[in-house]
Amino acid sequence: MTANHKSNTGLIKDIIIGMSDGLTVPFALTAGLSGVLHTNQLIIVSGMAEIAAGCISMGLGGFLAGESEIDHYNTALRREYYEIETVPNLELKEVEDALTAVGVDMDLSKTVALQISRNKDNWASFMMQVELKMEKPVDNRARVSAATIALSYLVGGFIPLFPYILTNNNQTGFYISCTVTIIALIIFGYFKSKATGQNIITGTLKVASIGIIAAAAAFLLAKAVS
């Protein structure tokens, strides 16, 4: 897997995480508030506060996850170097077994394993990828992940909120917000399904349904409490 492919995969994953929550949570909040409040100002302020908090929370979560991924990889890599130094024969046997497992002839696997073991960096890298199935994280993964998730949440969050900014009537804002957000959820669900290889119809309906159910639950709960 090339560094560019890994970077693109991580970017798509972060956009999906940020956008899905950004569309769903503020949508549910504004829908719920529109059921009990009669002024758009409070809905807008509450929505903006939630988006700001969500961006910080989601971005921080993405940063910590990225840092943890890097730390986990580095810890495993140090362990591989240690084992290469302390138990080289056992590590060499593991290389041979890994090659044999993918169909390499036993005699050839011994020759290839010896060649790999001549360079400790290549040896450790081979063990990380083949034995542990771990890819080296992309440089600046944590910072890029945090920024991507936060920005995606921001963009997704303003979609259900901006209709309340454009109109003075909260019910009109509610109906427009529902319409544009459902359309956005369908579009997002379509592209998410394409990016992840899911069935397009099933994936699209799943994303749209989650957002609609969350908003309906918040709206009905707010109505019941009021």
Side-chain angles (χ1 to χ4, degrees):
M1 184 183 291
T2 64
N4 186 55
H5 182 70
K6 288 188 289 182
S7 179
N8 290 339
T9 301
L11 183 66
I12 292 171
K13 179 182 176 181
D14 291 338
I15 290 173
I16 289 173
I17 291 172
M19 187 69 74
S20 60
D21 277 16
L23 280 169
T24 305
V25 178
F27 180 38
L29 174 67
T30 53
L33 291 176
S34 69
V36 294
L37 298 178
H38 302 290
T39 171
N40 275 9
Q41 184 176 2
L42 291 176
I43 296 174
I44 294 168
V45 171
S46 299
M48 286 185 171
E50 197 288 323
I51 292 172
C55 286
I56 294 171
S57 176
M58 295 289 290
L60 181 60
F63 181 81
L64 293 176
E67 286 286 288
S68 296
E69 181 181 348
I70 294 171
D71 290 341
H72 180 50
Y73 180 88
N74 289 336
T75 299
L77 182 60
R78 285 194 297 270
R79 186 173 61 249
E80 287 301 325
Y81 274 111
Y82 175 77
E83 291 176 351
I84 287 171
E85 291 287 348
T86 57
V87 285
N89 291 335
L90 179 60
E91 290 296 292
L92 189 63
K93 183 64 168 59
E94 290 180 354
V95 174
E96 294 174 10
D97 292 343
L99 292 169
T100 304
V102 295
V104 179
D105 181 80
M106 185 173 295
D107 291 334
L108 181 58
S109 70
K110 291 180 182 293
T111 303
V112 175
L114 284 172
Q115 188 163 359
I116 290 173
S117 67
R118 291 174 184 172
N119 184 301
K120 290 181 181 179
D121 293 334
N122 291 340
W123 193 354
S125 178
F126 180 88
M127 298 304 291
M128 292 294 291
Q129 294 182 54
V130 178
E131 181 190 27
L132 301 181
K133 304 296 188 295
M134 294 179 67
E135 293 284 345
K136 183 179 180 180
V138 179
D139 292 339
N140 300 321
R141 165 66 178 153
R143 289 192 290 273
V144 172
S145 178
T148 303
I149 292 174
L151 182 60
S152 298
Y153 191 97
L154 178 67
V155 173
F158 265 102
I159 291 175
L161 182 62
F162 87 88
Y164 296 96
I165 300 175
L166 298 179
T167 178
N168 293 323
N169 187 292
N170 72 316
Q171 288 303 305
T172 301
F174 171 71
Y175 293 131
I176 297 175
S177 178
C178 287
T179 302
V180 298
T181 305
I182 290 171
I183 293 173
L185 285 167
I186 291 172
I187 294 172
F188 172 68
Y190 171 80
F191 283 107
K192 177 185 175 182
S193 301
K194 290 275 287 184
T196 58
Q198 290 181 321
N199 180 276
I200 292 177
I201 296 176
T202 302
T204 301
L205 290 177
K206 184 186 296 183
V207 171
S209 299
I210 290 172
I212 293 169
I213 291 171
F219 182 82
L220 294 174
L221 180 61
K223 278 287 191 181
V225 171
S226 65

